[in-house]
Amino acid sequence: MMAVPIPSRQLFIDGEWREPLLKKRIPIINPATQEIIGDIPAATAEDVDIAVEAARRAFSKPDSWASTSGSFRAKFLRAIADKILERKIELAKLEVVDCGKPIDEAISDMVSVAGCFKYYAELAEALDAKQRIPISIPMESFKTHVLKEPIGVVALITPWNYPLLMAAWKVAPALAAGCTAILKPSELASVTCLELAEVCRDVALPPGVLNILTGLGPEAGAPLASHPHVDKIAFTGSTATGIKIMTTAAQTIKPISLELGGKSPILVFEDVDLDNAIEWTLYGCFPNNGQICSATSRLLVHENIAAKFVEKLIQWSKSIKISDPLEEGCRLGAIVSEGQYEKILNFISTAKSEGATILYGGVRPQHLKKGFFIEPTIITDVSTSMQIWREEVFGPVLCVKTFATEEEAIQLANDTHYGLGAAVVSKDLERCERLTKVLQAGVVWVNCSQPCFDQAPWGGIKHSGIGRELGEWGLENYLTVKQVTQYTSDKQWGWYSPP
């Protein structure tokens, strides 16, 4: 394949490129070739301090970002969106060689990134009209209104599965709200986030409004999360790290929003159109190489159609194109890193040793001799106590169980610590309606799996996280509410008698 040149970048602090104080760098490995293709700067606590101070200045100086109008901020958000669309193909290729996702998905990610910035530009403009909204109160002599103000300096810590898109889900609403931010992407995939810094320079975003620090979690993420001058943390990643961040935030009573793991179910009833249901089942678990927090990786299928369904599911799985992710038409690329690849293979071998059947896949495709590739994997004979049924794999692995009754399906679906997504596939729309109410999840899909829109709230319950991103909810994450009450009468209040 054509080599994709990786720009050599530094940390982005206060509107300019800065070398990390300790001059450390981290290699970038292309997961499809296992070759080192470049490196990224590695920030440490010293750099975090400088970046937080830059964000603090940009937030609180007299002509601060926080004091601008929403429509002023919207101009920058739209300019960022336009620049990303202009560089869409180049950015998509960088995303592919950095994290291994198929090129068609990476291009679609870039379009979504631009869409997210444009959406929050609209919400920033609308925010101006929502200021000073009067609140009706039952006393004539008082007037009350509400101000929505930016929460302050925010730490945005994002994952490697959708590197630029997950950054956009946080950066766009944070900047729209008038916050200043420090973005800390995952060290496994930071290339496109460093290009976002270049985009910010191109559109002349005021210095310090967005700072971008790449580096390791313990060296850069931890000091950022515990920094006394950070007013809020928004994190997407594993539940284990989410617990650490919440613990850290508790020390200084920092608000947090967390989007964590999942083990989401897809319920397929006996009245479905088989091919339709099969395609949504695949689409719920195998895009992005299965590295989706909301993957519907537990298939619950009605026992009357299970044999036929699984047989056809395997036929469809065989036709999924596994290749170098830069190849057009690729539908399954490379797992992001050696560590993640080994982890997935360990999950599969544990499932086998616990007595499950690896019905399809679970191994390296024969035609690909290098790279972190794994065939789409379908596992049956699974009991609810098995690790593979309970824990998030974060790879192209689908577990299958059958059910006899709707009650049993609901019980199996909800028997999990997680609660991000859930899907129900059935032609009986009354049944679908019943299930949307009882499935314990932040997002329920009816006759589909995984579609996601900027306008609609996204997030989970239970161990899947706290709070909602996207839509109006995404903006509220970065706003604080101030009540303003005025006494409007000329009369003495009259509680105390005058001397």
Side-chain angles (χ1 to χ4, degrees), residues 158-219:
T158 54
W160 48 259
N161 56 341
Y162 296 86
L164 194 55
L165 184 57
M166 293 297 101
W169 280 21
K170 290 177 172 33
V171 170
L175 299 194
C179 291
T180 59
I182 300 96
L183 170 65
K184 185 343 207 141
S186 164
E187 69 277 9
L188 294 181
S190 295
V191 173
T192 49
C193 286
L194 289 171
E195 294 313 293
L196 175 61
E198 181 66 4
V199 167
C200 291
R201 276 170 55 104
D202 287 344
V203 305
L205 185 72
V209 169
L210 177 62
N211 305 274
I212 301 175
L213 299 181
T214 53
L216 302 172
E219 292 179 9

Side-chain angles (χ1 to χ4, degrees), residues 69-79 81-82 113-130 172-173 175-177 454-455 471-472 475 479:
S69 68
S71 63
F72 175 84
R73 299 190 295 271
K75 290 190 181 77
F76 288 97
L77 295 177
R78 286 205 177 89
D82 292 340
V113 167
C116 182
F117 275 100
K118 284 180 175 167
Y119 173 71
Y120 281 106
E122 285 170 30
L123 260 55
E125 289 167 339
L127 192 57
D128 290 340
K130 290 184 181 158
L175 299 194
D454 292 328
Q455 297 74 12
E472 300 267 355
L475 188 65
L479 291 168

Side-chain angles (χ1 to χ4, degrees), residues 71-287:
S71 63
F72 175 84
R73 299 190 295 271
K75 290 190 181 77
F76 288 97
L77 295 177
R78 286 205 177 89
I80 290 170
D82 292 340
K83 266 285 182 252
I84 281 165
L85 286 179
E86 205 178 288
R87 295 182 59 187
K88 172 180 81 176
I89 301 298
E90 175 209 354
L91 289 170
K93 285 180 179 171
L94 289 173
E95 203 77 291
V96 171
V97 296
D98 198 15
C99 75
K101 70 168 66 194
I103 183 70
D104 296 344
E105 294 190 38
I107 292 170
S108 146
D109 278 7
M110 296 311 141
V111 175
S112 301
V113 167
C116 182
F117 275 100
K118 284 180 175 167
Y119 173 71
Y120 281 106
E122 285 170 30
L123 260 55
E125 289 167 339
L127 192 57
D128 290 340
K130 290 184 181 158
Q131 291 296 10
R132 300 183 60 87
I133 289 188
I135 291 188
S136 94
I137 45 169
M139 277 182 89
E140 301 272 294
S141 50
F142 292 96
K143 255 191 350 199
T144 295
H145 69 261
V146 161
L147 296 178
K148 290 188 170 187
E149 298 178 330
I151 203 162
V153 172
V154 296
L156 312 175
I157 302 176
T158 54
W160 48 259
N161 56 341
Y162 296 86
L164 194 55
L165 184 57
M166 293 297 101
W169 280 21
K170 290 177 172 33
V171 170
L175 299 194
C179 291
T180 59
I182 300 96
L183 170 65
K184 185 343 207 141
S186 164
E187 69 277 9
L188 294 181
S190 295
V191 173
T192 49
C193 286
L194 289 171
E195 294 313 293
L196 175 61
E198 181 66 4
V199 167
C200 291
R201 276 170 55 104
D202 287 344
V203 305
L205 185 72
V209 169
L210 177 62
N211 305 274
I212 301 175
L213 299 181
T214 53
L216 302 172
E219 292 179 9
L224 179 60
S226 63
H227 201 290
H229 294 163
V230 166
D231 300 305
K232 156 156 191 146
I233 309 166
F235 170 76
T236 299
S238 72
T239 300
T241 307
I243 291 168
K244 284 185 191 159
I245 283 178
M246 203 167 170
T247 307
T248 300
Q251 310 314 309
T252 50
I253 323 287
K254 271 193 222 321
I256 48 159
S257 40
L258 304 174
E259 207 262 70
L260 309 173
K263 191 75 182 175
S264 303
I266 179 167
L267 285 61
V268 177
F269 286 85
E270 61 186 319
D271 59 356
V272 297
D273 171 280
L274 280 187
D275 283 335
N276 257 343
I278 282 166
E279 186 172 8
W280 282 117
T281 301
L282 296 177
Y283 192 74
C285 192
F286 296 151

Side-chain angles (χ1 to χ4, degrees), residues 7 22 43 77 87 117 224 249 273 286 288 293 316 334 358 411 491:
L22 302 187
L77 295 177
R87 295 182 59 187
F117 275 100
L224 179 60
D273 171 280
F286 296 151
N288 208 42
C293 47
W316 275 72
I358 316 302
Q411 192 274 317
K491 289 204 183 88

Side-chain angles (χ1 to χ4, degrees), residues 358-376:
I358 316 302
L359 200 61
Y360 181 73
V363 292
R364 165 183 293 282
Q366 285 180 335
H367 67 288
L368 293 163
K369 301 298 175 217
K370 56 178 183 172
F372 308 125
F373 293 95
I374 184 164
E375 288 184 347

